[in-house]
Amino acid sequence: MTPLRESRAVAGLRRFTRAETWVHRSLNCLMAVCVFTAACLYFPPLAEIVGRRRLVVTVHEWSGILLPVPLVLGLLSRAFRADASRLGRFLPHDWRWLRTALRTRRREPSLAGKFNAGQKLYAAFTVGAILIMIGTGLIMWFPRLTPLFWRTGATFVHDWLALFIAAVITGHVWLATKDPEARRALRTGYVPRWWIKAEHPLWHPEDAPQDAPQSSSGHAPDDRPGHRTAGSHKD
């Protein structure tokens, strides 16, 4: 282990593996290219500044087609598959998290596992949106293969969903700016133990590095084998 990785391991618990951070960064880059090139195609002032419309269209098309690639390659990682399973599974405490958020318009950290219900919904929306955008984009890319009705509908769905995606991404980035520890997890893979207890107390990472002083028994004070908070769920 390099000194940098060793210092990270001492500083916190592992939340994401290198494969997971790679998937997130790659998907971010491709999505950013899609959004920027789409803006260049639909906003005349920006289109005039950038120019070379044919090149912009080509970059937009191929960056959209490549969006699923990081997700597919990520499935080679066992940790990524495990987190994908978590994101795709709604548990009772997730429904309570949603009801609380809708009723009070605030998050309830005590009802969050490794991922809270909002993050699970965002992940589901992202995957669904990517599939719809690729499908409608292919219809627009090869107009001679489909009837006019399909092309008209695909254009309508593609354009309006693109605007909705841009709004959702803006909200996602805004929330991320309010949580520096979550951003650090996506950069380094590690988070402090206090952050897990405060924001995701129902998540109990196993075989994670220690960052708290160990007791004489060799275990951190709050990380004894079998120790769980009351009413917790493994997520």
Side-chain angles (χ1 to χ4, degrees):
M1 181 180 290
T2 64
L4 179 58
R5 291 183 63 190
E6 185 176 2
S7 66
R8 289 172 178 172
V10 172
L13 302 176
R14 179 176 284 279
R15 179 169 172 82
F16 299 117
T17 63
R18 285 186 173 184
E20 292 176 290
T21 56
W22 177 87
V23 170
H24 188 268
R25 291 171 185 172
S26 302
L27 192 60
N28 277 356
C29 291
L30 288 171
M31 188 66 76
V33 172
C34 284
V35 171
F36 177 73
T37 52
C40 292
L41 294 173
Y42 284 95
F43 295 103
L46 190 58
E48 292 178 3
I49 295 174
V50 175
R52 307 193 66 177
R53 182 179 177 85
R54 185 63 255 176
L55 176 61
V56 173
V57 170
T58 301
V59 172
H60 181 76
E61 291 170 342
W62 282 104
S63 59
I65 290 295
L66 292 174
L67 276 173
V69 173
L71 299 175
V72 173
L73 293 179
L75 294 176
L76 298 174
S77 165
R78 183 172 63 179
F80 180 82
R81 293 196 303 271
D83 278 350
S85 176
R86 290 188 180 97
L87 286 168
R89 186 174 63 246
F90 252 65
L91 300 175
H93 61 264
D94 292 315
W95 293 110
R96 293 198 298 272
W97 189 99
L98 277 178
R99 287 194 294 269
T100 301
L102 292 173
R103 185 173 60 252
T104 65
R105 295 186 180 181
R106 65 179 181 83
R107 296 178 301 133
E108 182 49 66
S110 66
L111 298 175
K114 184 173 184 179
F115 303 104
N116 62 43
Q119 292 167 329
K120 292 181 179 182
L121 287 177
Y122 178 77
F125 168 80
T126 300
V127 173
I130 287 174
L131 294 177
I132 294 174
M133 293 298 279
I134 290 177
T136 54
L138 287 173
I139 293 175
M140 298 163 62
W141 196 354
F142 302 103
R144 297 183 180 179
L145 299 180
T146 56
L148 177 61
F149 175 76
W150 285 27
R151 299 196 301 272
T152 303
T155 303
F156 177 84
V157 172
H158 198 88
D159 292 352
W160 282 101
L161 182 56
L163 292 175
F164 190 59
I165 290 173
V168 172
I169 291 176
T170 301
H172 178 69
V173 172
W174 178 73
L175 290 174
T177 60
K178 301 170 64 176
D179 196 340
E181 297 301 335
R183 298 198 308 273
R184 188 182 79 154
L186 290 170
R187 292 195 310 270
T188 67
Y190 292 90
V191 288
R193 187 183 298 275
W194 65 261
W195 182 85
I196 295 176
K197 292 180 179 179
E199 298 293 333
H200 298 267
L202 302 185
W203 173 45
H204 304 287
E206 299 175 356
D207 300 324
Q210 300 284 332
D211 71 335
Q214 293 186 339
S215 64
S216 59
S217 62
H219 299 290
D222 292 321
D223 195 38
R224 299 184 299 275
H227 177 79
R228 294 290 185 268
T229 56
S232 64
H233 300 271
K234 185 177 181 180
D235 189 15

